Amino acid sequence: MSNERGTLTRRPAFTLLFRSRSFNMQYSEPVIPVDPALLQAFAADLKAWHVALGEPSYTAISRTASKHGESLSPASINNLLTGKRLTSSAIALAFVRNVLRHVGNHDEVVLQSEVARWLKRWTEVRSSANPAVITIAPGVDRTDTSMANHPGSALPPAPENQNSAPPDQWQASEQEVRRPPTSELLPPNLRIFRSMVDEALRAEDSQRRQWADARWGCYAFYDFDGEPIYVGQTNERLRIRIRRHLTNQRTDAVAMRILDVMEVAEVELWPLWELEHVAVSDPKARERIDGVEYTIYRNALDRSSLGLLLNEKIPHRTEPVDLPASARFPLVDATIRQTQGAPDIRIARCAETLSRLASVAAERGIVSTGLRQVMVVQAARLTRLAASRHAYAAGLHQPPEDLVDVHYLRALDTY
């Protein structure tokens, strides 16, 4: 808004400068600041996703976009993936759509799911900008109420009688109001959890290599009872995938409410150091990591009291292979075990997870059979937890291991 006295502009950082009894603010057009760590993580994850899909060239992606009536230049893609500044959401989402199209995935459900996932990521980075900056053109007097009292102004009205204001009403100092660091917004339990995740991802092996620094590798999550609940693989670096699962909550498994992050109490890592510099598309590398993942998966099934995991997609079936060295790390301490590991809290959380999965099926109508299988597994977990708690509260013997038998899924060769 402008008038003969100056221009009032709102920006995402909220800065008020108090000098004597008047505002001394300068008009500027700064680049909208965002959290650099979030921006770099967003760019790195998007680039890793791009690499995982075969890393088509920027020119090829641009041509694909053009064929679909979208404008996406190679320079825009470069700006997006370098993470030097936040590009528009239109560029980010056009990139996602056309990478999928280029690699031959035209499934509209998949496209919409990925677009929604990366839009959420972009929005999180964008919302990390400081609150609105309010600046006024030079020469505008704080005592002038024509702008301060304007309906669109964010300035408080000036006192009617300047001489009646208390001496300390306007401090002769600068005051800056900013958003607090993200870490200060986390509840204590989540701070502990994320701290232990960081500690696990920094752990080193006997050769001083960080276990999570391997580009290729497999991993497994365990619940508060030490039961395996999920197995996965990655070729974008273990630490990136684990963080996406446990801190950013941006993987499909979490987005679909299949994996409840708050139920993960331990993680085990199997790095494949021999594949560190092998191309993503290498068929022998794919065969190796598929064999390791499926062997881990079968071993986990044998150790699970239910005989089933929460994987929606079953790993590619292979012959058993020799597994590389692994390391298992706790992600919760005694405090968290006493709170979010308490039986009644776990029952409530499991019921909520099952309800959300059912809502996904109800809203979408058409979902994978894998998702419906996960609903069966979650229902079985809920029944086991509730029955065990009931027995304890009633002073009864614990229910038998075969209280809930869902092995028919394995018998049908679903797993």
Side-chain angles (χ1 to χ4, degrees):
M1 179 184 66
S2 62
N3 57 23
E4 67 278 6
R5 295 184 180 276
T7 303
L8 178 64
T9 306
R10 298 185 181 180
R11 288 280 180 255
F14 187 62
T15 306
L16 297 181
L17 305 181
F18 297 89
R19 286 193 180 88
S20 187
R21 294 175 182 246
S22 64
F23 283 94
N24 180 14
M25 299 184 179
Q26 294 186 350
Y27 174 80
S28 60
E29 279 290 336
V31 174
I32 296 175
V34 295
D35 186 327
L38 284 179
L39 177 58
Q40 287 297 321
F42 171 69
D45 287 353
L46 191 57
K47 188 173 183 63
W49 177 81
H50 173 224
V51 171
L53 289 177
E55 201 171 6
S57 70
Y58 297 173
T59 301
I61 299 170
S62 178
R63 288 173 179 168
T64 301
S66 180
K67 291 178 182 178
H68 289 83
E70 295 185 273
S71 177
L72 183 64
S73 69
S76 296
I77 299 174
N78 182 68
N79 289 336
L80 173 67
L81 299 184
T82 55
K84 293 181 179 179
R85 64 182 180 83
L86 184 64
T87 61
S88 70
S89 60
I91 291 175
L93 300 186
F95 172 76
V96 170
R97 283 191 296 269
N98 289 288
V99 167
L100 290 171
R101 289 165 176 162
H102 181 79
V103 299
N105 194 332
H106 298 277
D107 188 322
E108 194 61 30
V109 174
V110 174
L111 284 174
Q112 291 179 4
S113 174
E114 286 296 283
V115 165
R117 179 162 73 91
W118 288 108
L119 176 58
K120 181 180 178 183
R121 289 290 307 272
W122 183 93
T123 303
E124 288 173 350
V125 178
R126 177 63 183 80
S127 64
S128 72
N130 290 328
V133 163
I134 303 175
T135 55
I136 299 178
V140 177
D141 191 348
R142 172 64 183 81
T143 62
D144 174 28
T145 61
S146 62
M147 288 185 65
N149 295 325
H150 192 281
S153 174
L155 291 173
E160 294 182 4
N161 185 351
Q162 291 292 316
N163 294 327
S164 65
D168 58 346
Q169 180 170 345
W170 303 104
Q171 299 294 330
S173 62
E174 293 189 358
Q175 297 184 15
E176 188 171 324
V177 182
R178 295 184 180 276
R179 293 176 59 156
T182 303
S183 59
E184 292 185 8
L185 302 176
L186 298 176
N189 279 0
L190 197 50
R191 290 187 193 181
I192 295 172
F193 178 75
R194 292 200 173 189
S195 175
M196 295 189 71
V197 169
D198 290 340
E199 185 177 341
L201 298 183
R202 289 195 302 266
E204 297 180 345
D205 63 11
S206 59
Q207 300 183 43
R208 301 190 65 80
R209 299 173 300 191
Q210 292 186 351
W211 290 91
D213 206 33
R215 183 182 176 195
W216 295 72
C218 296
Y219 55 93
F221 295 132
Y222 301 85
D223 66 11
F224 285 90
D225 299 320
E227 292 259 334
I229 54 177
Y230 190 88
V231 169
Q233 64 159 270
T234 184
N235 55 27
E236 62 177 351
R237 209 162 297 282
L238 277 168
R239 72 173 63 258
I240 293 177
R241 179 55 64 89
I242 298 301
R243 284 193 186 281
R244 286 175 59 190
H245 269 299
L246 301 182
T247 61
N248 296 333
Q249 300 190 22
R250 291 157 185 158
T251 60
D252 291 337
V254 175
M256 296 289 288
R257 302 296 179 181
I258 290 172
L259 177 65
D260 175 15
V261 173
M262 304 308 292
E263 184 68 6
V264 178
E266 297 177 85
V267 62
E268 188 168 3
L269 306 177
W270 287 265
L272 296 172
W273 297 111
E274 70 272 18
L275 303 179
E276 194 64 16
H277 303 293
V278 177
V280 173
S281 58
D282 187 282
K284 290 186 177 180
R286 296 295 328 167
E287 181 180 350
R288 170 61 175 157
I289 197 170
D290 286 346
V292 170
E293 182 187 28
Y294 189 66
T295 302
I296 294 170
Y297 180 78
R298 295 299 304 185
N299 291 344
L301 290 181
D302 293 338
R303 292 198 299 270
S304 169
S305 60
L306 283 174
L308 298 171
L309 305 186
L310 294 175
N311 286 66
E312 178 191 6
K313 298 178 181 178
I314 309 307
H316 180 69
R317 292 175 175 79
T318 67
E319 293 297 320
V321 300
D322 293 332
L323 296 178
S326 69
R328 186 163 167 173
F329 305 97
L331 301 179
V332 298
D333 65 358
T335 301
I336 296 180
R337 282 191 175 275
Q338 290 177 357
T339 52
Q340 69 186 44
D344 287 334
I345 292 179
R346 292 182 66 196
I347 291 170
R349 202 167 54 231
C350 187
E352 182 182 10
T353 301
L354 178 58
S355 174
R356 289 178 176 177
L357 282 172
S359 294
V360 170
E363 292 166 2
R364 298 192 178 187
I366 300 176
V367 296
S368 68
T369 56
L371 177 64
R372 296 189 182 278
Q373 289 171 2
V374 170
M375 290 172 62
V376 174
V377 178
Q378 283 287 17
R381 285 174 57 82
L382 176 59
T383 302
R384 291 280 294 272
L385 285 168
S388 176
R389 186 59 169 168
H390 168 260
Y392 175 79
L396 304 173
H397 292 294
Q398 284 295 304
E401 288 291 325
D402 60 353
L403 171 68
V404 180
D405 187 359
V406 289
H407 283 77
Y408 75 92
L409 290 173
R410 294 178 66 174
L412 293 173
D413 197 32
T414 306
Y415 279 79

